[in-house]
Amino acid sequence: MTSHANPSSLLDGSLKTLSAALPAGTTIHAWLKAIDAGTPAELRADQEGRDAGRLMARNSEEFEFQSLVIESGGETTLTYDATTTTLSVVYAFSEKEVLETGIRILFTGEANAAPAVPGSYHFRPPFGWMNDPNGFGRFGDKVHLFYQHYPHSLRWNTMHWGHAISDDYLRWRHLPVFLLPAAELSASADGRGGAFSGSAIPLAGEEEGIRVFFTEQVKDRAPEEQIQLTAVTRDQISAGPAEVLLPERPAGLDLTLDFRDPYAIRGPDGRWKMLIGSRDHAGGVILLYETVDPAAAGGWTFVGILHREDRFGMTAAECPCIVPVDGPADDPQTRWALIFGLLTSRDPATGRRNITIATVGRFDGRSFTREFEQELDFGTDAYAFQAFVDQSGPVGIAWLANWTEISKKADFPTAMTLPRRVLITDGALSTPPVDAVDSLRKHLIDEARLWSGETVALGNGAVEIVIDLAAPGAAFDLEFDHPEVELGLRLDQKGLSILYDVPDGKWLPRYIATGARPSTLRIFLDKGSIEVFADNGRWTGTKRLSGFAGVRSARLAAPDGNVTAALIWQLEL
């Protein structure tokens, strides 16, 4: 497991030290910033009085990344002068063991320290800001999750890629930061761009290798702010040099500068396909590219517009992905789910923003024929959903947040959703949680009191509530006591609603799955979130909650006979 430690001032005055026992060959990654441009920042490593190396940086605007290998093992002291040097992050790892042990955090600052969320079971970064999942997939025998990341604060800024791996989708080991922005973007903290969202595929001919695709954004760059790059890793730890793959948007389509989030997948014809999100002056569009290169390293050509969505006005289609959901990719009868977010979209009926659409139909590798569509998540806080086909079928994960709640003036720590399967059930797309979530159940808190109408205390608030109804759509109200928000879940003749309000009086959207008539519900509460899976994910709703306090108690109200069972499980990683 990753360990966290902040510095102790073992020496009087301005000298600060970090101490740790490190094995021989340990790699240290550190981000430093000079307080004064005229005096370089320095972090010095010593072992029992011997100089073990030093890291230096001259930038006084933004933290510089530096790396050092400690040749000898033993107690290692890292020293810096607080009058000349500011640290952001320092972590250590062994390249031979990091995939099994993760990194060891030696330092984070006040601005980027991960919030203490004991008992939480959702994925969170070890430090800094996080948004979209990237490159979600299985490589070798591990599930990898890359993600949009800014290491130096809990606010969006110049984009990096963070990285973690898991054996079961739930218990993660943090790895070294995977992608760094270009040097000119790293030099300042003005948020002009960086390594934006993308995807990953196995590296051809190498069992452990990974090829990633990503968008590089540079604001105000002409003629293209956003271009597509690729890089490879052969050790699953560090990325090699990035190469430009698509230097410009396709011509003649009246596209805006939006041209991002490459998602690569093997198509039904055996060729590599790539989806890219964009928009024109009517609405969001998804662009399709393909290559005959079996390594997907080049030769990408534009096929055409795969899908258009203009019901919400001029909104950008973002983070597109497509997966076969009811059969093998090469079977013409297999249906595919095309999933994408619509940035700035607004549902006029409910006021919900940044909606994610799931469209299901046939995909022959060059065109997509829609059969039906639905919202992916009626709570809308499952954004930038990315899926891949794992051994048991498609699995996806999303960012548990919504851009409408973000302010550049406030910290905004976030999590990822529970990983979800993607399947077709009774003519609809379902996204139930992966089977591994059952392993989170530690003990049964209650099987009678909630059902009988009593108020039930929820301990630390990390619980799963299971409700069975006597008939589809049988009405109930589930009321929660949360110290910072008004929260509840309601099923009535209008549909299934997450009831959410905050005490500042601001008007908020209505989070409702209109017309939903489920028979069973699984409600996952955690510090900072609620996720609702009705009828095995036929209707899924996710809402980020302010702060990190847990829901304190729950009370169920329903007409006699409507609820046949109500269980509460204590959850723990």
Side-chain angles (χ1 to χ4, degrees):
M1 297 297 292
T2 301
S3 62
H4 295 259
N6 280 318
S8 57
S9 181
L10 301 181
L11 303 176
D12 291 335
S14 63
L15 290 182
K16 308 293 182 179
T17 63
L18 316 172
S19 296
L22 302 176
T26 293
T27 298
I28 293 176
H29 284 178
W31 280 261
L32 306 81
K33 181 168 65 175
I35 291 177
D36 187 314
T39 305
E42 183 180 57
L43 181 66
R44 188 175 70 248
D46 295 286
Q47 288 181 328
E48 299 179 356
R50 302 190 311 272
D51 183 1
R54 61 188 61 200
L55 301 173
M56 299 184 69
R58 296 187 176 276
N59 195 334
S60 60
E61 295 184 21
E62 178 61 301
F63 293 99
E64 285 187 37
F65 170 74
Q66 300 290 334
S67 179
L68 172 68
V69 176
I70 303 294
E71 299 294 346
S72 302
E75 189 68 22
T76 304
T77 300
L78 304 174
T79 305
Y80 67 100
D81 186 339
T83 65
T84 63
T85 301
T86 301
L87 293 186
S88 171
V89 179
V90 183
Y91 58 75
F93 63 95
S94 164
E95 289 192 4
K96 294 180 179 179
E97 300 177 357
V98 68
L99 295 176
E100 301 301 327
T101 63
I103 60 174
R104 180 180 178 185
I105 306 291
L106 302 180
F107 176 86
T108 56
E110 292 184 6
N112 61 348
V117 195
S120 177
Y121 53 88
H122 282 78
F123 176 85
R124 303 178 192 277
F127 47 81
W129 162 275
M130 177 183 73
N131 57 290
D132 304 355
N134 302 149
F136 186 47
R138 184 179 295 277
F139 303 100
D141 61 349
K142 301 288 190 297
V143 176
H144 288 244
L145 172 63
F146 302 91
Y147 54 89
Q148 291 284 268
H149 184 43
Y150 179 66
H152 311 310
S153 79
L154 301 180
R155 306 179 192 185
W156 185 94
N157 208 299
T158 307
M159 284 290 95
H160 303 55
W161 274 29
H163 189 193
I165 58 173
S166 175
D167 297 312
D168 63 359
Y169 297 109
L170 298 174
R171 297 160 182 89
W172 296 92
R173 297 184 291 281
H174 298 293
L175 298 186
V177 172
F178 183 75
L179 277 180
L180 300 175
E184 62 271 20
L185 295 173
S186 297
S188 61
D190 58 7
R192 291 192 306 123
F196 275 39
S197 292
S199 59
I201 62 172
L203 186 60
E206 299 192 26
E207 184 177 349
E208 301 298 319
I210 303 172
R211 176 177 294 279
V212 300
F213 305 91
F214 65 98
T215 298
E216 181 190 66
Q217 167 155 319
V218 180
K219 189 175 182 180
D220 299 326
R221 176 174 58 187
E224 301 289 351
E225 287 190 355
Q226 299 178 351
I227 61 176
Q228 315 315 314
L229 280 67
T230 186
V232 301
T233 176
R234 289 177 166 81
D235 60 8
Q236 301 190 353
I237 302 170
S238 57
E243 300 177 355
V244 176
L245 205 63
L246 297 176
E248 58 187 2
R249 295 162 289 164
L253 297 179
D254 193 31
L255 298 178
T256 65
L257 292 175
D258 301 278
F259 180 58
R260 58 180 175 270
D261 311 335
Y263 175 83
I265 190 172
R266 184 82 71 176
D269 55 5
R271 294 182 178 180
W272 287 108
K273 311 292 176 176
M274 181 183 291
L275 310 186
I276 295 179
S278 186
R279 77 172 104 181
D280 60 19
H281 290 85
V285 295
I286 298 174
L287 310 175
L288 175 64
Y289 286 76
E290 70 174 10
T291 181
V292 297
D293 180 0
W300 290 92
T301 59
F302 178 59
V303 176
I305 294 177
L306 187 69
H307 186 75
R308 171 182 295 280
E309 178 53 73
D310 56 12
R311 288 173 299 172
F312 298 93
M314 191 178 159
T315 58
E318 289 194 315
C319 304
C321 74
I322 188 169
V323 287
V325 288
D326 64 353
D330 59 358
D331 185 343
Q333 298 306 309
T334 292
R335 286 175 290 185
W336 295 65
L338 173 62
I339 300 169
F340 53 94
L342 288 170
L343 185 66
T344 72
S345 59
R346 181 182 184 274
D347 175 22
T350 63
R352 293 169 304 137
R353 301 294 301 272
N354 299 314
I355 294 165
T356 297
I357 299 293
T359 300
V360 177
R362 312 286 180 177
F363 178 51
D364 64 7
R366 298 184 67 82
S367 62
F368 180 82
T369 304
R370 185 180 68 182
E371 294 187 0
F372 67 89
E373 71 176 19
Q374 63 191 62
E375 282 190 46
L376 186 74
D377 191 291
F378 70 88
T380 68
D381 283 6
Y383 196 70
F385 186 86
Q386 186 169 104
F388 75 101
V389 180
D390 201 3
Q391 297 155 345
S392 59
V395 176
I397 197 169
W399 181 41
L400 208 163
N402 193 296
W403 287 109
T404 56
E405 297 185 351
I406 294 169
S407 168
K408 293 181 179 180
K409 299 179 180 179
D411 290 348
F412 196 77
T414 58
M416 294 295 181
T417 65
L418 287 174
R420 302 165 181 186
R421 300 168 60 209
V422 185
L423 62 150
I424 293 179
T425 307
D426 298 328
L429 193 70
S430 297
T431 54
V434 294
D435 294 344
V437 299
D438 291 351
S439 71
L440 297 174
R441 294 177 175 177
K442 294 307 173 185
H443 63 266
L444 191 64
I445 293 176
D446 172 64
E447 58 181 337
R449 290 178 294 141
L450 185 68
W451 176 80
S452 67
E454 295 182 37
T455 297
V456 180
L458 301 182
N460 69 354
V463 300
E464 177 191 356
I465 301 175
V466 181
I467 297 176
D468 293 334
L469 304 177
F476 71 85
D477 269 286
L478 185 58
E479 302 171 1
F480 299 116
D481 176 23
H482 188 281
E484 298 186 36
V485 301
E486 296 179 19
L487 184 67
L489 186 68
R490 175 177 295 165
L491 181 61
D492 58 18
Q493 70 277 10
K494 296 178 182 178
L496 178 63
S497 300
I498 296 175
L499 307 176
Y500 175 82
D501 203 356
V502 291
D504 64 4
K506 183 175 68 173
W507 184 88
L508 293 173
R510 292 188 300 118
Y511 301 102
I512 182 170
T514 303
R517 293 175 54 80
S519 298
T520 63
L521 299 100
R522 299 177 71 181
I523 302 108
F524 290 83
L525 295 171
D526 197 0
K527 296 177 181 180
S529 67
I530 178 173
E531 292 176 90
V532 180
F533 301 92
D535 278 3
N536 199 37
R538 165 59 185 89
W539 295 280
T540 299
T542 306
K543 186 73 192 79
R544 181 184 185 271
L545 308 178
S546 299
F548 293 105
V551 173
R552 294 180 289 208
S553 64
R555 188 177 75 87
L556 181 65
D560 288 345
N562 275 18
V563 178
T564 60
L567 308 177
I568 305 177
W569 292 90
Q570 177 69 61
L571 303 184
E572 183 181 314
L573 277 175

